[in-house]
Amino acid sequence: MTTWGFIGSGNIGSTVARLAVAAGHDVVMSNSRGPETLVDLVTELGDHARAGTTEEAAVDGDVVVVTIPLKAYRDVPADALEGKVVLDTMNYYPERDGRVAELDDESTTTSELLQTHLPGSRVVKVFNNIYFEHLRALARPSGDPERSALAIAGDDEEAKHTVTRLLDEIGYDTYDLGPLAEGWRTQRDTAAYAVVYAADPQDWSKGPAPVSADELAAAAARSRRYRDTDG
Ligand SMILES: NC(=O)c1ccc[n+]([C@@H]2O[C@H](COP(=O)([O-])OP(=O)(O)OC[C@H]3O[C@@H](n4cnc5c(N)ncnc54)[C@H](OP(=O)(O)O)[C@@H]3O)[C@@H](O)[C@H]2O)c1
């Protein structure tokens, strides 16, 4: 049993928490407004869930999911996360997050920015390239022929091993993109971004479709840097 801390309890945070609780894990949820605003969520999640401050989620989590708008990443408490495996779900949307020069010129990636902010933590990029409703719907037990894979990237092999085990327990295989610097392969608008899990990329009302590790690897291989595309 693992305790998952959550910094951010919105669409993705609450979905990952549901999967973790369903797998028998404990979760500590937090947001920007305080634990009193998370009563409904933790009540719904049940006895394995509680709400806390972001500091408490960071300290109490064996692993900690950072799942907030990228613009707020500097608010993530670095000292409290010293030595922890940190799962980063964040994506860069300039219209929401403001312009970040080093992301615009692709001299770094979003998860490397978080890793720089958290020098004592081991950041693993995960959950960033799947729509939260698809994430909830596609979870399957190990060995299920319809099981999907999720992409991870990270600079620490042991941390990636931990995340691979946790993904397995909540219903997913893993495809390892390599180091954090390869995380751009699943960034917004690439071939391996959220559309890859849509049954019909033109019509999302048709819901999700399973994606194997091989299919995800093929999509990631097709991904192109923004600077190498017209977009
Ligand atoms: N939506 C998706 O399907 C999806 C899929 C993959 C990745 N992502 C990425 O994952 C991240 C979260 O997305 P989301 O859709 O879950 O967002 P969301 O529903 O808007 O939830 C954001 C959460 O972050 C919290 N938060 C915001 N600023 C914070 C701060 N300074 N300190 C602590 N908590 C803070 C919010 O709390 P308050 O409400 O109290 O402010 C809220 O709980 C984003 O970077 C997004 O691009 C989203």
Side-chain angles (χ1 to χ4, degrees):
M1 198 274 296
T2 299
T3 298
W4 301 52
F6 287 83
I7 297 178
S9 299
N11 293 320
I12 279 285
S14 64
T15 300
V16 176
R18 281 187 186 93
L19 297 177
V21 164
H25 298 259
D26 287 345
V27 298
V28 183
M29 310 306 297
S30 76
N31 63 8
S32 75
R33 287 166 296 149
E36 63 283 1
T37 65
L38 291 166
V39 171
D40 288 351
L41 177 62
V42 295
T43 302
E44 185 205 322
L45 287 168
D47 291 345
H48 286 280
R50 60 193 159 90
T53 63
T54 54
E55 285 277 332
E56 286 166 344
V59 168
D60 293 352
D62 300 316
V63 297
V64 178
V65 184
V66 172
T67 182
I68 61 180
L70 182 71
K71 67 180 173 198
Y73 83 89
R74 288 187 190 82
D75 293 344
V76 175
D79 290 347
L81 288 169
E82 185 88 27
K84 306 245 175 179
V85 174
V86 171
L87 285 67
D88 170 27
T89 82
M90 294 185 288
N91 290 303
Y92 174 42
Y93 280 92
E95 60 274 28
R96 177 192 65 193
D97 299 316
R99 286 278 168 199
V100 180
E102 59 267 51
L103 294 177
D104 286 339
D105 68 15
E106 296 188 291
S107 58
T108 191
T109 61
T110 53
S111 293
E112 288 174 291
L113 275 187
L114 183 65
Q115 180 67 78
T116 301
H117 175 66
L118 304 175
S121 307
R122 293 170 289 160
V123 172
V124 177
K125 185 180 191 70
V126 62
F127 299 126
N128 75 293
N129 71 324
I130 183 166
Y131 178 52
F132 73 100
E133 290 182 6
H134 294 178
L135 178 65
R136 187 170 186 184
L138 286 172
R140 295 286 184 282
S142 181
D144 188 300
E146 297 225 313
R147 188 149 137 128
S148 290
L150 294 175
I152 62 169
D155 296 339
D156 186 285
E157 292 305 320
E158 191 187 314
K160 286 198 283 194
H161 195 74
T162 298
V163 173
T164 299
R165 175 177 57 79
L166 292 173
L167 292 182
D168 181 50
E169 291 181 23
I170 69 170
Y172 284 92
D173 292 335
T174 298
Y175 173 64
D176 185 355
L177 293 162
L180 285 182
E182 286 295 301
W184 66 268
R185 289 189 178 277
T186 60
Q187 71 188 357
R188 177 178 51 82
D189 297 340
T190 59
Y193 197 52
V195 75
V196 77
Y197 295 96
D200 180 348
Q202 310 304 324
D203 181 1
W204 279 49
S205 70
K206 295 194 173 144
V211 177
S212 70
D214 286 349
E215 289 166 331
L216 190 54
R222 290 196 305 277
S223 289
R224 293 291 171 265
R225 293 277 195 178
Y226 298 141
R227 60 176 172 256
D228 296 329
T229 65
D230 295 329

